[in-house]
mmCIF file of all heavy atoms in Angstrom:
data_model
loop_
_atom_site.group_PDB
_atom_site.id
_atom_site.type_symbol
_atom_site.label_atom_id
_atom_site.label_comp_id
_atom_site.label_asym_id
_atom_site.label_seq_id
_atom_site.Cartn_x
_atom_site.Cartn_y
_atom_site.Cartn_z
ATOM 1 N N GLY A 1 7.973 -1.339 -20.435
ATOM 2 C CA GLY A 1 7.488 -0.308 -19.496
ATOM 3 C C GLY A 1 6.077 0.117 -19.748
ATOM 4 O O GLY A 1 5.602 1.103 -19.163
ATOM 5 N N LEU A 2 5.313 -0.550 -20.610
ATOM 6 C CA LEU A 2 3.964 -0.127 -20.849
ATOM 7 C C LEU A 2 2.977 -0.413 -19.655
ATOM 8 O O LEU A 2 2.155 0.422 -19.390
ATOM 9 C CB LEU A 2 3.498 -0.876 -22.144
ATOM 10 C CG LEU A 2 4.098 -0.506 -23.490
ATOM 11 C CD1 LEU A 2 3.556 -1.390 -24.584
ATOM 12 C CD2 LEU A 2 3.942 0.956 -23.791
ATOM 13 N N ILE A 3 3.174 -1.532 -19.085
ATOM 14 C CA ILE A 3 2.298 -1.838 -17.902
ATOM 15 C C ILE A 3 2.535 -0.822 -16.781
ATOM 16 O O ILE A 3 1.600 -0.223 -16.263
ATOM 17 C CB ILE A 3 2.428 -3.284 -17.468
ATOM 18 C CG1 ILE A 3 1.832 -4.144 -18.577
ATOM 19 C CG2 ILE A 3 1.701 -3.558 -16.173
ATOM 20 C CD1 ILE A 3 1.926 -5.624 -18.291
ATOM 21 N N PRO A 4 3.753 -0.658 -16.320
ATOM 22 C CA PRO A 4 3.962 0.331 -15.224
ATOM 23 C C PRO A 4 3.556 1.732 -15.558
ATOM 24 O O PRO A 4 3.102 2.424 -14.663
ATOM 25 C CB PRO A 4 5.488 0.258 -14.928
ATOM 26 C CG PRO A 4 5.860 -1.088 -15.426
ATOM 27 C CD PRO A 4 5.033 -1.375 -16.657
ATOM 28 N N HIS A 5 3.680 2.119 -16.811
ATOM 29 C CA HIS A 5 3.333 3.491 -17.184
ATOM 30 C C HIS A 5 1.832 3.641 -17.080
ATOM 31 O O HIS A 5 1.337 4.743 -16.650
ATOM 32 C CB HIS A 5 3.841 3.755 -18.610
ATOM 33 C CG HIS A 5 3.384 5.060 -19.117
ATOM 34 N ND1 HIS A 5 3.955 6.275 -18.688
ATOM 35 C CD2 HIS A 5 2.466 5.433 -20.031
ATOM 36 C CE1 HIS A 5 3.339 7.339 -19.275
ATOM 37 N NE2 HIS A 5 2.442 6.831 -20.111
ATOM 38 N N ASP A 6 1.026 2.680 -17.491
ATOM 39 C CA ASP A 6 -0.388 2.861 -17.530
ATOM 40 C C ASP A 6 -1.086 2.317 -16.264
ATOM 41 O O ASP A 6 -2.212 2.677 -16.051
ATOM 42 C CB ASP A 6 -0.928 2.041 -18.696
ATOM 43 C CG ASP A 6 -0.556 2.687 -20.031
ATOM 44 O OD1 ASP A 6 -0.316 3.953 -20.021
ATOM 45 O OD2 ASP A 6 -0.503 1.978 -20.969
ATOM 46 N N TYR A 7 -0.325 1.661 -15.376
ATOM 47 C CA TYR A 7 -1.029 1.086 -14.177
ATOM 48 C C TYR A 7 -1.257 2.186 -13.174
ATOM 49 O O TYR A 7 -0.322 2.896 -12.763
ATOM 50 C CB TYR A 7 -0.140 -0.023 -13.662
ATOM 51 C CG TYR A 7 -0.873 -0.882 -12.642
ATOM 52 C CD1 TYR A 7 -1.865 -1.696 -12.986
ATOM 53 C CD2 TYR A 7 -0.462 -0.872 -11.298
ATOM 54 C CE1 TYR A 7 -2.606 -2.467 -12.088
ATOM 55 C CE2 TYR A 7 -1.144 -1.678 -10.333
ATOM 56 C CZ TYR A 7 -2.138 -2.458 -10.762
ATOM 57 O OH TYR A 7 -2.877 -3.297 -9.885
ATOM 58 N N GLU A 8 -2.522 2.268 -12.688
ATOM 59 C CA GLU A 8 -2.835 3.401 -11.810
ATOM 60 C C GLU A 8 -3.299 2.903 -10.420
ATOM 61 O O GLU A 8 -3.701 3.741 -9.519
ATOM 62 C CB GLU A 8 -3.961 4.170 -12.359
ATOM 63 C CG GLU A 8 -5.262 3.331 -12.704
ATOM 64 C CD GLU A 8 -6.266 4.150 -13.586
ATOM 65 O OE1 GLU A 8 -5.879 4.717 -14.536
ATOM 66 O OE2 GLU A 8 -7.439 4.005 -13.221
ATOM 67 N N ASP A 9 -3.250 1.623 -10.078
ATOM 68 C CA ASP A 9 -3.629 1.107 -8.822
ATOM 69 C C ASP A 9 -2.511 0.619 -7.980
ATOM 70 O O ASP A 9 -2.684 -0.192 -6.945
ATOM 71 C CB ASP A 9 -4.692 -0.054 -9.009
ATOM 72 C CG ASP A 9 -5.975 0.406 -9.591
ATOM 73 O OD1 ASP A 9 -6.309 1.660 -9.388
ATOM 74 O OD2 ASP A 9 -6.679 -0.366 -10.189
ATOM 75 N N GLY A 10 -1.280 0.990 -8.262
ATOM 76 C CA GLY A 10 -0.148 0.572 -7.449
ATOM 77 C C GLY A 10 -0.291 0.884 -6.026
ATOM 78 O O GLY A 10 -0.042 0.071 -5.173
ATOM 79 N N SER A 11 -0.510 2.180 -5.680
ATOM 80 C CA SER A 11 -0.616 2.569 -4.293
ATOM 81 C C SER A 11 -1.833 1.879 -3.592
ATOM 82 O O SER A 11 -1.764 1.507 -2.473
ATOM 83 C CB SER A 11 -0.749 4.105 -4.270
ATOM 84 O OG SER A 11 0.353 4.756 -4.725
ATOM 85 N N LEU A 12 -2.940 1.787 -4.318
ATOM 86 C CA LEU A 12 -4.085 1.258 -3.700
ATOM 87 C C LEU A 12 -3.813 -0.279 -3.375
ATOM 88 O O LEU A 12 -4.291 -0.705 -2.329
ATOM 89 C CB LEU A 12 -5.330 1.350 -4.789
ATOM 90 C CG LEU A 12 -6.107 2.652 -4.758
ATOM 91 C CD1 LEU A 12 -6.973 2.696 -6.004
ATOM 92 C CD2 LEU A 12 -6.937 2.800 -3.531
ATOM 93 N N ASP A 13 -3.143 -0.961 -4.266
ATOM 94 C CA ASP A 13 -2.860 -2.370 -4.002
ATOM 95 C C ASP A 13 -2.086 -2.572 -2.731
ATOM 96 O O ASP A 13 -2.298 -3.458 -1.962
ATOM 97 C CB ASP A 13 -2.152 -2.981 -5.240
ATOM 98 C CG ASP A 13 -3.110 -3.115 -6.442
ATOM 99 O OD1 ASP A 13 -4.323 -3.103 -6.246
ATOM 100 O OD2 ASP A 13 -2.550 -3.231 -7.578
ATOM 101 N N VAL A 14 -1.025 -1.710 -2.585
ATOM 102 C CA VAL A 14 -0.231 -1.845 -1.444
ATOM 103 C C VAL A 14 -0.981 -1.517 -0.113
ATOM 104 O O VAL A 14 -0.815 -2.261 0.886
ATOM 105 C CB VAL A 14 1.043 -0.890 -1.560
ATOM 106 C CG1 VAL A 14 1.810 -0.902 -0.282
ATOM 107 C CG2 VAL A 14 1.854 -1.277 -2.754
ATOM 108 N N LEU A 15 -1.858 -0.509 -0.190
ATOM 109 C CA LEU A 15 -2.551 -0.150 1.006
ATOM 110 C C LEU A 15 -3.571 -1.263 1.375
ATOM 111 O O LEU A 15 -3.782 -1.572 2.551
ATOM 112 C CB LEU A 15 -3.267 1.156 0.820
ATOM 113 C CG LEU A 15 -2.406 2.400 0.579
ATOM 114 C CD1 LEU A 15 -3.226 3.624 0.281
ATOM 115 C CD2 LEU A 15 -1.556 2.637 1.923
ATOM 116 N N VAL A 16 -4.225 -1.855 0.343
ATOM 117 C CA VAL A 16 -5.154 -2.900 0.611
ATOM 118 C C VAL A 16 -4.493 -4.125 1.268
ATOM 119 O O VAL A 16 -5.015 -4.744 2.227
ATOM 120 C CB VAL A 16 -5.861 -3.363 -0.691
ATOM 121 C CG1 VAL A 16 -6.615 -4.654 -0.532
ATOM 122 C CG2 VAL A 16 -6.804 -2.305 -1.222
ATOM 123 N N ASP A 17 -3.304 -4.509 0.808
ATOM 124 C CA ASP A 17 -2.583 -5.634 1.410
ATOM 125 C C ASP A 17 -2.129 -5.309 2.785
ATOM 126 O O ASP A 17 -2.003 -6.235 3.600
ATOM 127 C CB ASP A 17 -1.407 -5.991 0.535
ATOM 128 C CG ASP A 17 -1.823 -6.594 -0.844
ATOM 129 O OD1 ASP A 17 -2.991 -7.027 -0.912
ATOM 130 O OD2 ASP A 17 -1.065 -6.627 -1.803
ATOM 131 N N ALA A 18 -1.756 -4.086 3.085
ATOM 132 C CA ALA A 18 -1.156 -3.741 4.411
ATOM 133 C C ALA A 18 -2.225 -3.450 5.454
ATOM 134 O O ALA A 18 -1.898 -3.345 6.670
ATOM 135 C CB ALA A 18 -0.164 -2.583 4.248
ATOM 136 N N LEU A 19 -3.495 -3.219 5.135
ATOM 137 C CA LEU A 19 -4.504 -2.701 5.960
ATOM 138 C C LEU A 19 -4.900 -3.916 6.980
ATOM 139 O O LEU A 19 -5.089 -4.988 6.604
ATOM 140 C CB LEU A 19 -5.717 -2.241 5.250
ATOM 141 C CG LEU A 19 -6.814 -1.454 6.088
ATOM 142 C CD1 LEU A 19 -6.177 -0.232 6.693
ATOM 143 C CD2 LEU A 19 -7.953 -1.171 5.179
ATOM 144 N N ALA A 20 -5.157 -3.486 8.259
ATOM 145 C CA ALA A 20 -5.555 -4.424 9.251
ATOM 146 C C ALA A 20 -6.245 -3.686 10.380
ATOM 147 O O ALA A 20 -6.454 -2.393 10.217
ATOM 148 C CB ALA A 20 -4.399 -5.283 9.798
ATOM 149 N N ARG A 21 -6.641 -4.315 11.445
ATOM 150 C CA ARG A 21 -7.259 -3.723 12.631
ATOM 151 C C ARG A 21 -6.528 -4.032 13.855
ATOM 152 O O ARG A 21 -5.920 -5.175 14.017
ATOM 153 C CB ARG A 21 -8.724 -4.106 12.717
ATOM 154 C CG ARG A 21 -9.617 -3.546 11.621
ATOM 155 C CD ARG A 21 -11.111 -3.933 11.839
ATOM 156 N NE ARG A 21 -11.884 -3.536 10.711
ATOM 157 C CZ ARG A 21 -12.481 -2.315 10.610
ATOM 158 N NH1 ARG A 21 -12.245 -1.387 11.549
ATOM 159 N NH2 ARG A 21 -13.235 -2.030 9.579
ATOM 160 N N ASP A 22 -6.465 -3.155 14.788
ATOM 161 C CA ASP A 22 -5.803 -3.431 16.049
ATOM 162 C C ASP A 22 -6.861 -4.113 17.073
ATOM 163 O O ASP A 22 -7.962 -4.401 16.665
ATOM 164 C CB ASP A 22 -5.186 -2.206 16.702
ATOM 165 C CG ASP A 22 -6.258 -1.151 16.955
ATOM 166 O OD1 ASP A 22 -7.485 -1.372 16.881
ATOM 167 O OD2 ASP A 22 -5.846 0.057 17.153
ATOM 168 N N ALA A 23 -6.421 -4.262 18.279
ATOM 169 C CA ALA A 23 -7.307 -4.935 19.268
ATOM 170 C C ALA A 23 -8.552 -4.105 19.578
ATOM 171 O O ALA A 23 -9.612 -4.674 19.979
ATOM 172 C CB ALA A 23 -6.547 -5.133 20.547
ATOM 173 N N LYS A 24 -8.521 -2.800 19.370
ATOM 174 C CA LYS A 24 -9.704 -1.976 19.571
ATOM 175 C C LYS A 24 -10.637 -1.970 18.384
ATOM 176 O O LYS A 24 -11.725 -1.331 18.447
ATOM 177 C CB LYS A 24 -9.310 -0.569 19.944
ATOM 178 C CG LYS A 24 -8.459 -0.488 21.258
ATOM 179 C CD LYS A 24 -8.071 0.993 21.551
ATOM 180 C CE LYS A 24 -7.263 1.056 22.846
ATOM 181 N NZ LYS A 24 -6.859 2.490 23.094
ATOM 182 N N GLY A 25 -10.191 -2.421 17.279
ATOM 183 C CA GLY A 25 -10.949 -2.360 16.066
ATOM 184 C C GLY A 25 -10.626 -1.230 15.207
ATOM 185 O O GLY A 25 -11.308 -1.014 14.140
ATOM 186 N N ASP A 26 -9.647 -0.440 15.582
ATOM 187 C CA ASP A 26 -9.272 0.693 14.729
ATOM 188 C C ASP A 26 -8.397 0.220 13.511
ATOM 189 O O ASP A 26 -7.762 -0.831 13.583
ATOM 190 C CB ASP A 26 -8.455 1.730 15.486
ATOM 191 C CG ASP A 26 -9.231 2.314 16.606
ATOM 192 O OD1 ASP A 26 -10.468 2.421 16.461
ATOM 193 O OD2 ASP A 26 -8.677 2.689 17.645
ATOM 194 N N LEU A 27 -8.487 1.039 12.472
ATOM 195 C CA LEU A 27 -7.682 0.724 11.240
ATOM 196 C C LEU A 27 -6.263 0.969 11.443
ATOM 197 O O LEU A 27 -5.909 2.048 11.927
ATOM 198 C CB LEU A 27 -8.226 1.490 10.023
ATOM 199 C CG LEU A 27 -9.697 1.174 9.667
ATOM 200 C CD1 LEU A 27 -10.129 2.127 8.621
ATOM 201 C CD2 LEU A 27 -9.848 -0.232 9.109
ATOM 202 N N ILE A 28 -5.341 0.015 11.042
ATOM 203 C CA ILE A 28 -3.962 0.258 11.092
ATOM 204 C C ILE A 28 -3.253 -0.233 9.779
ATOM 205 O O ILE A 28 -3.832 -1.061 9.093
ATOM 206 C CB ILE A 28 -3.298 -0.407 12.354
ATOM 207 C CG1 ILE A 28 -3.546 -1.933 12.237
ATOM 208 C CG2 ILE A 28 -3.797 0.153 13.599
ATOM 209 C CD1 ILE A 28 -2.787 -2.721 13.312
ATOM 210 N N LEU A 29 -2.048 0.104 9.572
ATOM 211 C CA LEU A 29 -1.284 -0.390 8.431
ATOM 212 C C LEU A 29 -0.130 -1.149 8.991
ATOM 213 O O LEU A 29 0.680 -0.717 9.826
ATOM 214 C CB LEU A 29 -0.797 0.762 7.583
ATOM 215 C CG LEU A 29 -1.784 1.499 6.672
ATOM 216 C CD1 LEU A 29 -1.180 2.658 5.887
ATOM 217 C CD2 LEU A 29 -2.434 0.497 5.707
ATOM 218 N N LYS A 30 0.057 -2.440 8.472
ATOM 219 C CA LYS A 30 1.225 -3.152 8.792
ATOM 220 C C LYS A 30 2.376 -2.800 7.893
ATOM 221 O O LYS A 30 2.169 -2.398 6.727
ATOM 222 C CB LYS A 30 0.891 -4.695 8.605
ATOM 223 C CG LYS A 30 -0.210 -5.171 9.556
ATOM 224 C CD LYS A 30 -0.441 -6.681 9.377
ATOM 225 C CE LYS A 30 -1.021 -6.957 7.984
ATOM 226 N NZ LYS A 30 -1.373 -8.408 7.731
ATOM 227 N N ASP A 31 3.586 -2.837 8.466
ATOM 228 C CA ASP A 31 4.757 -2.434 7.696
ATOM 229 C C ASP A 31 5.147 -3.633 6.731
ATOM 230 O O ASP A 31 6.207 -4.383 6.992
ATOM 231 C CB ASP A 31 5.940 -2.080 8.620
ATOM 232 C CG ASP A 31 5.647 -0.752 9.349
ATOM 233 O OD1 ASP A 31 4.990 0.132 8.734
ATOM 234 O OD2 ASP A 31 6.159 -0.620 10.517
ATOM 235 N N THR A 32 4.411 -3.778 5.697
ATOM 236 C CA THR A 32 4.775 -4.812 4.680
ATOM 237 C C THR A 32 5.945 -4.303 3.810
ATOM 238 O O THR A 32 6.198 -3.152 3.776
ATOM 239 C CB THR A 32 3.570 -5.126 3.831
ATOM 240 O OG1 THR A 32 3.223 -3.946 3.132
ATOM 241 C CG2 THR A 32 2.369 -5.583 4.690
ATOM 242 N N PRO A 33 6.694 -5.213 3.274
ATOM 243 C CA PRO A 33 7.788 -4.819 2.380
ATOM 244 C C PRO A 33 7.273 -3.901 1.238
ATOM 245 O O PRO A 33 8.050 -2.890 0.935
ATOM 246 C CB PRO A 33 8.294 -6.148 1.786
ATOM 247 C CG PRO A 33 7.942 -7.177 2.844
ATOM 248 C CD PRO A 33 6.608 -6.745 3.445
ATOM 249 N N ASP A 34 6.089 -4.194 0.725
ATOM 250 C CA ASP A 34 5.591 -3.331 -0.404
ATOM 251 C C ASP A 34 5.343 -1.881 0.136
ATOM 252 O O ASP A 34 5.567 -0.874 -0.536
ATOM 253 C CB ASP A 34 4.373 -3.948 -0.959
ATOM 254 C CG ASP A 34 4.642 -5.156 -1.814
ATOM 255 O OD1 ASP A 34 5.855 -5.347 -2.225
ATOM 256 O OD2 ASP A 34 3.742 -5.959 -2.165
ATOM 257 N N LEU A 35 4.800 -1.815 1.398
ATOM 258 C CA LEU A 35 4.445 -0.447 2.001
ATOM 259 C C LEU A 35 5.802 0.266 2.271
ATOM 260 O O LEU A 35 5.864 1.554 2.005
ATOM 261 C CB LEU A 35 3.644 -0.618 3.268
ATOM 262 C CG LEU A 35 3.201 0.636 3.958
ATOM 263 C CD1 LEU A 35 2.383 1.515 3.041
ATOM 264 C CD2 LEU A 35 2.424 0.352 5.177
ATOM 265 N N ILE A 36 6.761 -0.419 2.808
ATOM 266 C CA ILE A 36 8.026 0.282 2.943
ATOM 267 C C ILE A 36 8.622 0.792 1.719
ATOM 268 O O ILE A 36 9.148 1.911 1.605
ATOM 269 C CB ILE A 36 8.998 -0.746 3.702
ATOM 270 C CG1 ILE A 36 8.464 -1.079 5.109
ATOM 271 C CG2 ILE A 36 10.389 -0.122 3.831
ATOM 272 C CD1 ILE A 36 9.293 -2.170 5.803
ATOM 273 N N THR A 37 8.605 -0.064 0.608
ATOM 274 C CA THR A 37 9.102 0.350 -0.692
ATOM 275 C C THR A 37 8.333 1.529 -1.195
ATOM 276 O O THR A 37 8.896 2.439 -1.774
ATOM 277 C CB THR A 37 9.021 -0.847 -1.632
ATOM 278 O OG1 THR A 37 9.843 -1.956 -1.119
ATOM 279 C CG2 THR A 37 9.585 -0.427 -2.947
ATOM 280 N N LEU A 38 6.955 1.544 -1.018
ATOM 281 C CA LEU A 38 6.106 2.608 -1.545
ATOM 282 C C LEU A 38 6.455 3.872 -0.869
ATOM 283 O O LEU A 38 6.553 4.996 -1.514
ATOM 284 C CB LEU A 38 4.653 2.208 -1.340
ATOM 285 C CG LEU A 38 3.655 3.261 -1.794
ATOM 286 C CD1 LEU A 38 3.735 3.476 -3.320
ATOM 287 C CD2 LEU A 38 2.229 2.887 -1.401
ATOM 288 N N ARG A 39 6.635 3.902 0.443
ATOM 289 C CA ARG A 39 6.969 5.137 1.211
ATOM 290 C C ARG A 39 8.333 5.604 0.799
ATOM 291 O O ARG A 39 8.562 6.871 0.811
ATOM 292 C CB ARG A 39 6.882 4.834 2.726
ATOM 293 C CG ARG A 39 5.426 4.766 3.239
ATOM 294 C CD ARG A 39 5.422 4.287 4.684
ATOM 295 N NE ARG A 39 4.073 4.471 5.223
ATOM 296 C CZ ARG A 39 3.674 3.846 6.352
ATOM 297 N NH1 ARG A 39 4.509 3.054 7.030
ATOM 298 N NH2 ARG A 39 2.450 3.997 6.815
ATOM 299 N N SER A 40 9.230 4.730 0.459
ATOM 300 C CA SER A 40 10.624 5.098 0.014
ATOM 301 C C SER A 40 10.575 5.742 -1.287
ATOM 302 O O SER A 40 11.259 6.734 -1.584
ATOM 303 C CB SER A 40 11.522 3.886 0.134
ATOM 304 O OG SER A 40 12.816 4.245 -0.449
ATOM 305 N N ASN A 41 9.793 5.126 -2.206
ATOM 306 C CA ASN A 41 9.700 5.659 -3.615
ATOM 307 C C ASN A 41 8.873 6.860 -3.758
ATOM 308 O O ASN A 41 8.987 7.652 -4.700
ATOM 309 C CB ASN A 41 9.230 4.576 -4.561
ATOM 310 C CG ASN A 41 10.227 3.389 -4.599
ATOM 311 O OD1 ASN A 41 11.399 3.509 -4.385
ATOM 312 N ND2 ASN A 41 9.694 2.238 -4.997
ATOM 313 N N VAL A 42 7.855 7.069 -2.816
ATOM 314 C CA VAL A 42 6.986 8.224 -2.887
ATOM 315 C C VAL A 42 7.004 8.933 -1.551
ATOM 316 O O VAL A 42 6.166 8.683 -0.662
ATOM 317 C CB VAL A 42 5.506 7.686 -3.190
ATOM 318 C CG1 VAL A 42 4.582 8.875 -3.406
ATOM 319 C CG2 VAL A 42 5.448 6.739 -4.390
ATOM 320 N N PRO A 43 7.911 9.930 -1.483
ATOM 321 C CA PRO A 43 8.060 10.626 -0.220
ATOM 322 C C PRO A 43 6.808 11.447 0.176
ATOM 323 O O PRO A 43 6.562 11.561 1.371
ATOM 324 C CB PRO A 43 9.265 11.573 -0.465
ATOM 325 C CG PRO A 43 9.995 10.933 -1.673
ATOM 326 C CD PRO A 43 8.959 10.318 -2.470
#
């Protein structure tokens, strides 16, 4: 458990992978499995 305890970029990594743009060029988040898990674990 040393790596999970000290790791501080977990949320950032999930947001970076899920980020995209819509047809208008606005920023959106895709519902990736990691993003769904993050929202479930971090209310």
Side-chain angles (χ1 to χ4, degrees):
L2 294 177
I3 291 182
H5 175 74
D6 292 332
Y7 193 65
E8 57 190 46
D9 291 337
S11 299
L12 278 167
D13 291 339
V14 174
L15 295 174
V16 167
D17 290 343
L19 191 62
R21 292 185 186 271
D22 60 14
K24 297 180 182 180
D26 295 331
L27 297 172
I28 61 172
L29 286 177
K30 297 182 294 184
D31 289 331
T32 62
D34 287 343
L35 182 59
I36 295 173
T37 301
L38 179 63
R39 283 172 173 164
S40 174
N41 294 337
V42 185

